Amino acid sequence: MSSSRFLLHLTIFLLIFHRNFCFPSKQTLFLPLKTTLGRPPLTFAPSSKLSASAAAAAAGSTANKLGFHHNVTLTVSLSVGSPPQIVTMVLDTGSELSWLHCKKTPNLTSTFAPELSNSYSPIPCASPVCKTRTRDLPIPASCDPNNQLCHVAVSYADASSIEGTLAYENLVIGSSTRPGFLFGCMDSGFSSNSDEDSKTTGLMGMNRGSLSFVSQMGFPKFSYCISGFDSSGVLLLGDASFSWLKTLNYTPLIQRSDPLPYFDRVAYTVQLEGIQVGNKMLDLPRSVFLPDHTGAGQTMVDSGTQFTFLMGPVYTALRNEFLQQTRGVLRVLEDPNFVFQGAMDLCYRIAEPAGTSFSNIPQVSLMFEGAEMSISGERLLYRVPDMNTGRDSVYCFTFGNSDLLGIEAFVIGNHHQQNVWMEFDLEKSRVGFAETRCDLAGQRLGMDI
């Protein structure tokens, strides 16, 4: 998770349209999204995200709409406390616990001040809430050093960590106030990238755990759409359907009740069944896509990881086939010592402008149970910032090797979700997607993004 690793950063400004329905489950929020440069979310390993358990082990209907700017991680600006304080939180579908920096330091420009809020209520360590509501967290909650308050901690694969007190607070969304929101009020920790951390107040967990934002707020589903043409996009919390949106293809979420060391039970896990390059299916047995007896090998759909990472044997097969089909079309960067973001070792020298090079490369399709995600053109190659070889720019294949990062999983990153409407349906336990022009989504929803 070094500063050189650029993942998708989405800054979200809350724009809430109220209808005649009850908050929260019948309200839909739409958020405009725009691009800024930032760091990866903290919940995953070095340049992507790893499930917490795996890291520890190695015109529509009613809707809430918000927009964002994107380049590395989703961030949402909203009000917390009484009187309300504006905070900016990384929106992370790979995390459960939402938390805020609550102690000012020279490195932090944005913090939440609990002493200024009349509604801030720390949880005693003797409270049942301290044990029962934190059951899905990878690190068990405990009592603080004074044996009084509920202490929570989160650690990450790059050695970053943060800890503090579990507390209740009011969450203000538009004109609606949601009391009793559980979050971590963090006062200590270590960061591998304090400069980037200082740009946000905290993190908003969006996975399927009981403490996540989407679970606490009671939304039956949420969706987002990331533009591949500019910095715009939309995040939608709640249920909505639109006449301009193509029919979504759905793939079921994988459920596991038994605890396994490398399986994140509250991640958005789907079943990858195969990969096609051009018209050729990779000759791989279905077993290589299935989690093993330890849970290693699950496939997670993640908004906070920029690129897609595949387990070693699958990555090698894809790399070799893509290399074979692009011979004579793209010039390989002949530098065996260069590995972009520590896991992407297939890079090319491309003369600018690169448009014609993108048009001649084969499409890569990810085959899921009941659905397919097709990746083509510039989404397959990413220009390495500030790196040139003579007059050529360096572009790298946007799939990486999970093994090089120590990630025991397949992770579908947001770069490959660009111009795809992504829906996470918690009620029906499924993920849906359909190709669309995400840069136009905000305009169609009447949003100024």
Side-chain angles (χ1 to χ4, degrees), residues 44-351:
F44 274 38
S47 71
S48 78
K49 294 192 312 179
L50 181 66
S51 71
S53 58
S61 59
T62 60
N64 296 305
K65 56 183 179 182
L66 304 90
F68 56 76
H69 297 248
H70 66 78
N71 191 354
V72 177
T73 53
L74 288 165
T75 66
V76 57
S77 296
L78 68 164
S79 298
V80 177
S82 305
Q85 302 175 42
I86 303 297
V87 298
T88 302
M89 305 173 74
V90 174
L91 191 77
D92 185 5
T93 59
S95 292
E96 177 179 0
L97 180 68
S98 299
W99 56 263
L100 296 170
H101 289 294
C102 290
K103 182 179 180 180
K104 287 188 176 181
T105 69
N107 294 328
L108 292 176
T109 58
S110 178
T111 59
F112 173 71
E115 69 276 8
L116 301 180
S117 174
N118 298 324
S119 51
Y120 176 78
S121 178
I123 305 298
C125 70
S127 169
V129 172
C130 187
K131 300 298 181 185
T132 59
R133 294 299 302 277
T134 61
R135 61 185 180 273
D136 294 326
L137 299 180
I139 300 177
S142 60
C143 290
D144 69 357
N146 296 323
N147 207 37
Q148 293 181 343
L149 300 178
C150 185
H151 180 266
V152 288
V154 186
S155 63
Y156 308 100
D158 69 337
S160 293
S161 62
I162 193 161
E163 55 189 287
T165 301
L166 188 68
Y168 285 123
E169 187 51 284
N170 287 354
L171 192 65
V172 183
I173 302 181
S175 59
S176 298
T177 299
R178 173 65 185 260
F181 181 75
L182 277 168
F183 77 109
C185 193
M186 305 311 212
D187 55 18
S188 64
F190 167 77
S191 171
S192 65
N193 194 334
S194 57
D195 289 342
E196 293 299 338
D197 283 346
S198 67
K199 298 177 181 178
T200 58
T201 322
L203 181 143
M204 180 180 287
M206 288 289 287
N207 71 11
R208 295 191 289 166
S210 63
L211 272 184
S212 75
F213 171 82
V214 70
S215 295
Q216 289 195 60
M217 302 305 285
F219 291 111
K221 64 177 68 173
F222 67 93
S223 309
Y224 54 74
C225 197
I226 306 165
S227 173
F229 300 100
D230 56 26
S231 61
S232 66
V234 170
L235 172 69
L236 180 150
L237 300 171
D239 192 5
S241 60
F242 307 100
S243 59
W244 46 263
L245 185 61
K246 296 178 182 177
T247 301
L248 272 63
N249 294 313
Y250 289 96
T251 186
L253 289 169
I254 304 301
Q255 309 278 4
R256 293 293 297 261
S257 58
D258 52 326
L260 297 173
Y262 289 95
F263 194 93
D264 186 346
R265 291 183 292 170
V266 292
Y268 295 103
T269 301
V270 295
Q271 186 55 63
L272 181 63
E273 295 187 331
I275 300 177
Q276 182 172 310
V277 183
N279 295 320
K280 183 176 180 180
M281 284 290 296
L282 297 184
D283 186 17
L284 293 169
R286 188 173 184 273
S287 59
V288 302
F289 298 103
L290 299 175
D292 65 16
H293 66 283
T294 69
Q298 74 183 113
T299 299
M300 298 180 285
V301 181
D302 180 34
S303 68
T305 299
Q306 184 174 10
F307 301 116
T308 294
F309 296 91
L310 307 174
M311 299 283 280
V314 176
Y315 170 76
T316 299
L318 173 60
R319 182 190 188 280
N320 291 343
E321 184 59 35
F322 189 81
L323 188 61
Q324 176 64 32
Q325 292 194 30
T326 55
R327 291 192 190 280
V329 178
L330 299 174
R331 287 182 297 162
V332 176
L333 176 68
E334 301 292 351
D335 184 353
N337 297 318
F338 180 74
V339 180
F340 182 51
Q341 294 197 1
M344 302 160 74
D345 61 357
L346 179 55
C347 299
Y348 297 92
R349 298 177 55 173
I350 297 179

